[in-house]
Amino acid sequence: MTLPDALAHLRDRVAVLPLPLEVPGRDAGVRAVRSVVDQVQDYLLPRLQDLDAPLLAVVGGSTGAGKSTLVNSVLGVEVTTAGVLRPTTRTPVLVCAPADRAAFADGRVLPVQVTVSPALPPGLALVDAPDVDSVVETNRDLAGQLLAAADLWVFVTTASRYADAVPWDLLRTAADRGTALAVVLDRVPPEAVDEVAGDLAGMLARAGLAAATLWVVREGPLQDGRLPESEVAPLRGWLHGLAADAGARAEVVRQTLAGALASLDDRVTGIAAAGDEQVAAAGALRSAADAAYDRAATAVDDGVRSGTLLRGEVLARWQEFVGTGEWMRSLQAGIGRLRDRLTAAVTGRATPAEDLTGALESGVEQLLRAAAETAAEDTVTAWRGLPGGAALVAGRERELATVGPDFAEAAGATVRDWQGAVLELVRGEGAGKRSRARLLSWGSTGPARW
């Protein structure tokens, strides 16, 4: 199996992993599944199929960090919307040279709006991604997906927010995956450049990102909505240099590609652990339900065996049945049963046997319902205290703690089948006893008759 085939197989297997139960590791597992599927689909497979494709640099960062302004300033033209309203970037914009348009025409990175600009040299594409901390969840998810599809992250932060937790979660992800990284420190007061840039450089080093290239943009007024040329020219020159140097581009691609592949082992191991947690939780929930219904089955069995049913109406009908001799008559040949039915048809009254049958059937059904409802209530109670169980029953307690709508019909059919089997057994046992009695009687009188 080739590497692309193995990756496609991994993507397909991971994508269908069910994680339905809300156990402690579920959210992390869902995020890991999404990240692996997205990166295999959007980055690893396309990049392996075309190692010489243009370098894709994704510009990401926090809300209001100035990503769109930076992209427009690097290009020298407005290709993406910048403004004070948040979230600003709704549809991501991918900008590439006209010569590279075909490389992205097949939807290699989706969903994006592809724009060509002669301001960008061939060999490099820029994507203005949504905010990684957007108030809109779909924007956050899309930002993560685009970053996972990048050969190079250009991460934009500000002097006032460079230590925020959310950006550092993404930066640590870059470190874990070995992604090539450039960091743009925007809006830095001129008098604090050395202090702020030095602090950020130290944080990057401690996070394992010492190799990240750090660019500083000093705070100052915009010119026609763009950063001053003196502040953006060094970054533009570095990016254009990457575009022009095939060896430098290949080195960036090699670093990110190797890092992404190496990171799959730990990420897939984490996904497997999330799957194992689901299996364990489902097993505990199933065991709790099985235990509750096993107790219910034992209660029904004890009720039938102990004579609990022979009380009240059932006992009265039993005494009537036996006292009238109906029990013995019902064990006779078909003529007796025919006579009983004719009598019932003429008089309109049920026979004692039918009265007993009805009372017994009703009693057993009531016993089954009581046991089943107790089992359902016990199951709900047990599930509330088990991982994944509380969310499973939330809002459905009344529905789950009682028998289903088809219970009465199913129970009635089961009881009738059971009752028929019992009566057949009684008839068989009674017939055997009568035969033995007749044989003994014949044995004692037969010779005398001869």
Side-chain angles (χ1 to χ4, degrees):
M1 181 181 292
T2 65
L3 178 56
D5 288 341
L7 287 170
H9 180 69
L10 172 66
R11 174 202 60 198
D12 295 343
R13 292 291 301 273
V14 168
V16 298
L17 178 68
L19 299 171
L21 297 175
E22 294 189 20
V23 293
R26 176 179 181 268
D27 290 345
V30 169
R31 290 192 298 270
V33 166
R34 184 185 301 123
S35 73
V36 168
V37 171
D38 287 347
Q39 191 163 47
V40 171
Q41 178 67 30
D42 298 334
Y43 179 67
L44 290 173
L45 290 178
R47 179 49 78 187
L48 287 170
Q49 290 167 1
D50 188 359
L51 291 172
D52 296 324
L55 186 74
L56 182 61
V58 173
V59 182
S62 303
T63 301
K67 301 181 298 298
S68 298
T69 300
L70 180 68
V71 171
N72 291 336
S73 301
V74 166
L75 296 173
V77 294
E78 185 171 327
V79 295
T80 183
T81 303
V84 296
L85 297 178
R86 305 296 173 213
T88 299
T89 303
R90 293 178 174 84
T91 300
V93 177
L94 184 151
V95 187
C96 64
D100 290 335
R101 178 68 178 81
F104 302 101
D106 60 353
R108 173 177 174 238
V109 180
L110 291 174
V112 295
Q113 174 187 331
V114 179
T115 300
V116 297
S117 172
L120 203 61
L124 175 68
L126 292 179
V127 175
D128 181 17
D131 303 329
V132 298
D133 57 353
S134 173
V135 295
V136 181
E137 183 179 3
T138 54
N139 278 358
R140 297 196 304 272
D141 292 343
L142 182 54
Q145 181 181 357
L146 292 173
L147 288 170
D151 294 305
L152 170 68
W153 286 14
V154 179
F155 205 83
V156 185
T157 187
T158 65
S160 61
R161 299 192 60 186
Y162 69 87
D164 286 359
V166 173
W168 277 97
D169 287 342
L170 270 296
L171 291 171
R172 278 187 285 271
T173 298
D176 293 341
R177 297 182 188 176
T179 305
L181 177 68
V183 178
V184 178
L185 182 59
D186 196 7
R187 300 174 190 160
V188 183
E191 67 278 8
V193 168
D194 291 342
E195 178 184 357
V196 175
D199 188 39
L200 177 55
M203 294 177 67
L204 290 169
R206 290 189 293 274
L209 294 167
T213 305
L214 178 59
W215 302 95
V216 176
V217 177
R218 293 171 177 82
E219 187 175 35
L222 298 179
Q223 300 173 1
D224 296 328
R226 296 194 286 272
L227 297 169
E229 180 63 19
S230 61
E231 299 302 316
V232 76
L235 175 61
R236 182 193 298 121
W238 181 71
L239 290 171
H240 283 205
L242 283 177
D245 188 340
R249 289 202 314 274
E251 180 59 31
V252 171
V253 169
R254 186 162 43 247
Q255 175 186 338
T256 301
L257 187 59
L261 289 170
S263 72
L264 286 177
D265 188 31
D266 287 343
R267 293 155 70 189
V268 171
T269 298
I271 292 171
D276 290 342
E277 185 183 29
Q278 291 279 321
V279 171
L285 294 170
R286 187 179 298 110
S287 294
D290 288 345
Y293 281 90
D294 284 346
R295 291 193 299 269
T298 300
V300 171
D301 187 63
D302 290 345
V304 173
R305 290 176 181 273
S306 66
T308 300
L309 292 174
L310 290 178
R311 297 176 184 172
E313 178 70 11
V314 177
L315 180 58
R317 297 304 179 189
W318 173 258
Q319 290 171 340
E320 179 183 355
F321 183 50
V322 175
T324 59
E326 185 75 15
W327 180 63
M328 288 302 299
R329 288 198 302 275
S330 67
L331 299 178
Q332 300 300 322
I335 186 63
R337 291 193 295 274
L338 177 61
R339 183 187 61 234
D340 294 339
R341 291 170 184 168
L342 289 173
T343 300
V346 173
T347 63
R349 293 182 64 254
T351 66
E354 291 170 334
D355 289 340
L356 174 61
T357 298
L360 184 60
E361 183 175 326
S362 176
V364 176
E365 285 188 34
Q366 290 174 9
L367 179 62
L368 287 176
R369 175 177 286 273
E373 289 184 342
T374 298
E377 292 171 358
D378 289 349
T379 299
V380 170
T381 300
W383 281 7
R384 287 195 188 103
L386 292 172
L392 196 62
V393 302
R396 303 177 59 202
E397 289 88 345
R398 181 173 298 181
E399 171 192 354
L400 295 175
T402 188
V403 297
D406 299 329
F407 178 84
E409 181 179 352
T414 299
V415 170
R416 287 190 293 274
D417 290 344
W418 167 79
Q419 189 171 252
V422 170
L423 292 178
E424 284 300 319
L425 179 63
V426 169
R427 290 188 182 98
E429 290 293 323
K433 291 178 180 178
R434 289 198 310 278
S435 298
R436 286 193 296 273
R438 288 171 179 168
L439 180 60
L440 291 173
S441 175
W442 180 84
S444 63
T445 61
R449 291 176 182 173
W450 291 355

